[in-house]
Amino acid sequence: MPIEPLLLDSPELAAGLRAPIGAWFAANARDLPWRGPDRTAWGVLVSEVMLQQTPVVRVLPAWTDWMTWWPTPRDLAAASTADVLRAWGRLGYPRRALRLQECGRAIAELHDGVVPCDEAALLALPGVGAYTAAAVVAFAYGGRSVVLDTNVRRVLARTVTGTALPTPSLTVAEVRSAAALVPADPAEAALWAASSMELGALVCTARAPRCEACPVAELCAWRRAGYPVDAHVGRRRTQAWAGTDRQARGRVMALLREALEPVPRSAVEDLWTDRVQLDRCLDALVADGLAEVSGAEDQPRTYRLPAAAVS
DNA sequence: AACCCGGGGGG
DNA sequence: CCCCCAGGGTT
């Protein structure tokens, strides 16, 4: 039996991937709290925002606490922003926490406290982009959408395109190709979204893929081609960390989160030697709504987390 | 399209 | 020590 070349966007390829990956998912899916029969759309949305650039293992405890304190969008809308930022903890990118609270307010005011099931309405919410909107449609409501995160992109790059990794940025052609693989039936589409993403997270990993455990290893274009190396190797420059504004901001936020009283400027200055950079970061944090300054011109300034919501 | 935005864990 | 992680917003 000769090996047939894989045809992009072909129904045969779609079915060949979907059935085995769906079956694999049924047996191997992680038991995550935002899945499960008692899940809420709000819980799914919260998990998706937290999972933007933060690994599952770190999200788990934060999500559990968060849902205990603010089980509905209205609960979060009414919360103190300082409490929200403290609950966010060290998940990183704390502006996501602000957007999530704004999102809770928008849902309360515009959608009667109910997370929308319409993708366009979701996309209009603060902090919700193309991925998160599609994910809520699929995972919260079992609807049909094109869920294309870093995991799915990698799975498709390997199985369909035959490259080790997807391109650094999402392309229009890639979205179209992924959309063509999504089954018409909403329930099957939702299963495809969940299973292809889970395969990328557990088996078809970026660093050391476990092809021996992959349900579609025999179909995989990358494997068939002999695992060619990434075309973009060496071109992916990792973001600097030491000495950056992001590190400085992170230190300030960590200090403010742990403080029970407004922090005197002297304590903030102890965090960072470059005074110009520190002031730039403090101004930016205030402008972002992540910090507040108090104290008159002739008095020592203090810094703290925002007590109330921004606007 | 390019850049900015945290933080930590695993190879 | 490098790389990656269920991205989004701004310019």
Side-chain angles (χ1 to χ4, degrees):
Chain A
M1 186 91 185
I3 296 176
E4 296 297 326
L6 293 174
L7 301 176
L8 256 61
D9 303 350
S10 76
E12 293 79 13
L13 172 58
L17 291 173
R18 266 154 35 200
I21 293 175
W24 170 87
F25 181 77
N28 296 280
R30 290 168 292 182
D31 186 18
L32 301 173
W34 46 83
R35 295 175 176 169
D38 60 337
R39 72 181 177 278
T40 64
W42 174 242
V44 172
L45 176 54
V46 170
S47 79
E48 292 302 338
V49 173
M50 287 184 171
L51 286 163
Q52 293 167 3
Q53 303 291 282
T54 303
V56 168
V57 287
R58 290 174 51 205
V59 164
L60 279 169
W63 182 88
T64 302
D65 290 344
W66 191 284
M67 294 308 294
T68 300
W69 292 321
W70 307 300
T72 72
R74 291 192 201 281
D75 295 319
L76 185 65
S80 151
T81 300
D83 289 342
V84 169
L85 289 170
R86 288 196 177 93
W88 193 260
R90 308 185 74 84
L91 291 182
Y93 297 130
R95 292 190 294 191
R96 287 184 293 162
L98 297 182
R99 297 295 89 78
L100 192 47
Q101 187 176 33
E102 293 169 7
C103 188
R105 275 189 219 115
I107 292 170
E109 295 168 9
L110 302 178
H111 302 286
D112 199 27
V114 180
V115 176
C117 57
D118 175 64
E119 195 163 353
L122 286 163
L123 202 50
L125 295 171
V128 177
Y131 162 74
T132 303
V136 171
V137 167
F139 304 148
Y141 293 110
R144 184 180 188 278
S145 62
V146 182
V147 175
L148 201 51
D149 76 322
T150 187
N151 288 307
V152 178
R153 292 189 69 214
R154 187 173 54 251
V155 168
L156 296 182
R158 288 176 179 165
T159 58
V160 178
T161 312
T163 57
L165 294 172
T167 56
S169 56
L170 194 60
T171 65
V172 175
E174 187 182 354
V175 175
R176 196 169 49 76
S177 175
L181 288 175
V182 177
D185 178 71
E188 290 182 21
L191 173 60
W192 164 246
S195 59
S196 57
M197 189 178 307
E198 191 78 339
L199 186 72
L202 297 184
V203 173
C204 194
T205 56
R207 203 74 66 85
R210 301 169 47 226
C211 299
E212 73 283 356
C214 180
V216 292
E218 299 309 311
L219 295 174
C220 181
W222 184 47
R223 181 182 176 88
R224 288 184 172 207
Y227 299 116
V229 296
D230 179 24
H232 310 92
V233 62
R235 307 206 53 147
R236 298 169 185 278
R237 52 176 174 277
T238 153
Q239 292 176 319
W241 172 242
T244 60
D245 285 9
R246 294 160 72 204
Q247 185 185 29
R249 289 167 57 108
R251 283 193 190 174
V252 172
M253 289 303 295
L255 178 63
L256 299 188
R257 279 197 307 268
E258 291 153 19
L260 300 178
E261 301 290 330
V263 177
R265 179 175 170 84
S266 60
V268 179
E269 289 179 348
D270 289 342
L271 295 173
W272 204 257
T273 54
D274 185 336
R275 192 64 49 85
V276 173
Q277 185 180 22
L278 178 61
D279 278 324
R280 179 174 71 237
C281 290
L282 288 170
D283 289 344
L285 288 172
V286 172
D288 286 344
L290 288 166
E292 282 180 357
V293 191
S294 56
E297 288 295 328
D298 56 345
Q299 290 182 340
R301 275 174 290 176
T302 61
Y303 296 88
R304 59 176 175 171
L305 297 179
V310 190
S311 75

